């Protein structure tokens, strides 16, 4: 019986140790974020905040590590820059010194924004060079191998006619960037945020991740009401499956130097792989940074038999949906759009 108790105890101890090591693993991601440590911060409250903001997996294990090693007593109050993917030792080291800290600038990247607009915001705030950011965004070759593998872009070439391969992969969110960063680092951090935020989304359309993001970007520019996004996604998927042109005005607007309130027929004849009035299927790349609502809609579109939609132009931001072109023409006469 004594041997049995000892055996069970050893097994229990091994399980506890394995669980501890599992919970102490660094979180996924490489993004850097600012973290403010207040004077006389309680280690428990600190651990809870670190877990909530995505720096650690388990607040209890972090608290115990700090108390057992005595590292909690070396923490310095102030604004620190912490990196996701750091182990406990590195986190405590970063929380214990302010010698190499630099000022972080808050940048808000709204949904539906384009590479050009992101470059303008970053440059205006002194984060990185506008021209370097734009040139770097023309290809995805500057991403890390793990990012390329996650997005299934490794060994794939950018399609001919693509304006910015990184369009759509730069997640719209609030960032804290240091000034004078390399454009590659900014793009990698924004792509890390995209992967982090979309990791749980399951693509149910059979599309590649890049095709899914491209579709989501079109939905983002076409729909203002989140509740309509799955239905609009369903329209585009129906047209793709039936070999019909998408005929999305947003893809044409993307080609223009300045977007127009209403497109004219001559605008729809512009020669470009992005013009979905002239070319079948999706454009070669995304046309904006989609939000989570658009990404979820593109991944799991509503199933229906609608093939057309047009804005109502009545101040509600909603659309008329039609199954046939004849019905669609009736709605376009009401709204004044094509």
């Amino acid at each position: 019986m004594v041997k049995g108790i000892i055996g069970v105890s050893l097994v229990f101890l091994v399980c506890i140790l394995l669980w501890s090591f599992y919970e102490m693993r660094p979180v996924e991601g490489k993004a850097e974020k600012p973290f403010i440590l207040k004077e006389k911060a309680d280690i428990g409250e600190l651990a809870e905040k670190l877990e909530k903001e995505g720096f650690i997996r388990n607040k209890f294990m972090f608290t115990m590590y700090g108390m057992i090693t005595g590292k909690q007593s070396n923490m310095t109050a102030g604004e620190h820059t912490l990196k996701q993917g750091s182990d406990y030792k590195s986190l405590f080291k970063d929380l214990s010194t302010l010698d190499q800290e630099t000022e972080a600038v808050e940048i808000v990247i709204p949904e539906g924004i384009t590479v050009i607009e992101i470059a303008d915001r970053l440059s205006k705030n002194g984060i990185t060079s506008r021209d370097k950011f734009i040139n770097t965004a023309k290809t995805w070759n500057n991403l890390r191998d793990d990012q390329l593998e996650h997005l299934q872009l490794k060994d794939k070439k950018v399609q001919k006619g693509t304006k910015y391969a990184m369009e759509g992969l730069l997640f719209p969110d609030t960032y804290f960037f240091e000034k004078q960063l390399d454009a590659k680092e900014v793009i990698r951090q924004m792509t890390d945020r995209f992967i982090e935020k979309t990791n749980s989304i399951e693509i149910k359309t059979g599309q590649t991740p890049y095709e899914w993001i491209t579709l989501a970007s079109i939905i983002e520019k076409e729909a203002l009401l989140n509740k309509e996004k799955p239905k609009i996604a369903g329209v585009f998927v129906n047209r793709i499956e039936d070999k019909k042109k998408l005929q999305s005005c947003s893809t044409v607007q993307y080609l223009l130097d300045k977007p127009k309130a209403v497109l004219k027929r001559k605008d729809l004849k512009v020669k470009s792989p992005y013009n979905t009035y002239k070319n079948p299927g999706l454009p070669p790349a995304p046309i904006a940074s989609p939000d989570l609502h658009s990404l979820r809609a593109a991944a799991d579109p509503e199933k229906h038999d609608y093939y057309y939609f047009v804005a109502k132009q009545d101040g509600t931001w909603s659309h008329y949906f039609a199954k046939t072109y004849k019905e669609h023409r009736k709605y376009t006469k009401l709204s004044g759009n094509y």
Side-chain angles (χ1 to χ4, degrees):
M1 184 180 292
V2 173
K3 289 182 178 179
I5 293 173
I6 293 173
V8 171
S9 299
L10 287 173
V11 171
F12 180 74
L13 180 60
V14 170
C15 290
I16 290 294
L17 288 173
L18 290 174
W19 174 82
S20 299
F21 284 121
Y22 182 82
E23 289 297 303
M24 290 174 67
R25 288 178 303 133
V27 299
E28 295 179 0
K30 300 290 183 181
E32 291 186 355
K33 303 179 183 178
F35 186 87
I36 297 176
L37 181 62
K38 297 180 180 179
E39 289 280 358
K40 299 180 181 179
D42 176 78
I43 182 66
E45 293 177 358
L46 167 66
E48 185 172 358
K49 187 178 179 183
L50 286 170
E51 183 183 62
K52 184 178 180 181
E53 296 191 14
F55 291 108
I56 60 174
R57 297 176 184 274
N58 189 297
K59 60 185 178 183
F60 174 76
M61 294 305 303
F62 187 83
T63 301
M64 294 302 297
Y65 178 87
M67 294 174 65
I68 293 172
T69 60
K71 293 183 182 296
Q72 64 168 356
S73 61
N74 298 325
M75 296 187 300
T76 304
E79 183 176 299
H80 302 264
T81 300
L82 303 184
K83 181 179 288 185
Q84 287 182 323
S86 300
D87 57 22
Y88 286 2
K89 183 178 179 181
S90 298
L91 286 172
F92 272 108
K93 181 180 179 181
D94 289 336
L95 290 167
S96 300
T97 178
L98 293 172
D99 293 343
Q100 298 181 5
E101 296 298 324
T102 57
E103 182 183 358
V105 179
E106 181 179 359
I107 301 291
V108 177
I109 305 298
E111 60 274 6
I113 202 169
T114 64
V115 161
I116 293 294
E117 293 168 320
I118 294 172
D120 288 337
R121 288 185 179 229
L122 294 173
S123 177
K124 183 179 179 181
N125 287 276
I127 305 303
T128 194
S129 161
R130 180 183 187 276
D131 291 341
K132 286 184 178 179
F133 185 87
I134 289 172
N135 287 331
T136 305
K138 290 180 179 179
T139 176
W140 55 60
N141 293 339
N142 294 299
L143 294 179
R144 300 189 311 271
D145 283 347
D146 64 296
Q147 293 175 322
L148 291 170
E149 288 176 3
H150 184 92
L151 297 167
Q152 297 180 21
L153 294 174
K154 200 167 186 179
D155 300 324
K156 288 192 176 182
K157 294 182 178 181
V158 175
Q159 285 191 44
K160 186 178 180 180
T162 297
K163 293 180 68 175
Y164 302 105
M166 289 305 304
E167 194 82 82
L169 302 181
L170 310 174
F171 193 76
D173 206 349
T174 299
Y175 294 86
F176 291 85
F177 291 123
E178 296 178 6
K179 291 191 174 183
Q180 302 301 318
L181 280 176
D182 187 281
K184 294 179 184 178
E185 179 58 28
V186 177
I187 283 175
R188 287 169 182 167
Q189 286 192 36
M190 296 183 76
T191 305
D192 271 331
R193 188 72 58 88
F194 179 92
I195 293 172
E196 173 193 341
K197 293 291 186 178
T198 62
N199 198 41
S200 62
I201 296 178
E202 180 185 355
I203 304 172
K204 298 181 179 181
T205 58
Q207 295 178 314
T208 67
Y210 201 66
E211 290 170 337
W212 157 61
I213 298 165
T214 301
L215 176 58
S217 72
I218 297 174
I219 296 167
E220 180 65 43
K221 301 300 284 187
E222 292 283 358
L224 287 173
L225 300 179
N226 290 329
K227 66 180 182 180
E228 282 195 346
K229 289 181 176 180
K231 183 177 285 189
I232 288 176
V235 170
F236 286 132
V237 169
N238 286 345
R239 296 183 73 86
I240 290 172
E241 289 179 348
D242 285 10
K243 311 296 183 184
K244 295 179 181 290
K245 294 183 176 68
L246 295 188
Q247 296 185 331
S248 166
C249 293
S250 295
T251 61
V252 179
Q253 294 278 17
Y254 184 68
L255 299 170
L256 305 178
D257 293 332
K258 292 183 180 180
K260 296 181 178 180
V262 178
L263 291 174
K264 296 183 178 180
R265 291 191 181 277
K266 65 177 183 179
D267 296 319
L268 307 182
K269 297 178 181 179
V270 176
K271 291 184 178 180
S272 168
Y274 283 89
N275 187 346
T276 55
Y277 278 85
K278 292 183 68 66
N279 305 291
L282 293 166
I287 61 172
S289 292
D291 68 4
L292 284 174
H293 293 286
S294 298
L295 288 159
R296 291 191 181 108
D300 189 14
E302 183 178 313
K303 290 180 173 57
H304 53 60
D305 51 1
Y306 293 116
Y307 284 82
Y308 305 88
F309 65 89
V310 63
K312 290 182 178 180
Q313 302 290 1
D314 61 356
T316 64
W317 306 111
S318 57
H319 294 79
Y320 294 113
F321 291 84
K323 298 176 182 179
T324 65
Y325 183 69
K326 183 178 180 180
E327 183 184 10
H328 177 63
R329 288 300 297 155
K330 179 183 70 174
Y331 289 139
T332 56
K333 289 177 182 178
L334 287 174
S335 68
N337 282 338
Y338 292 113

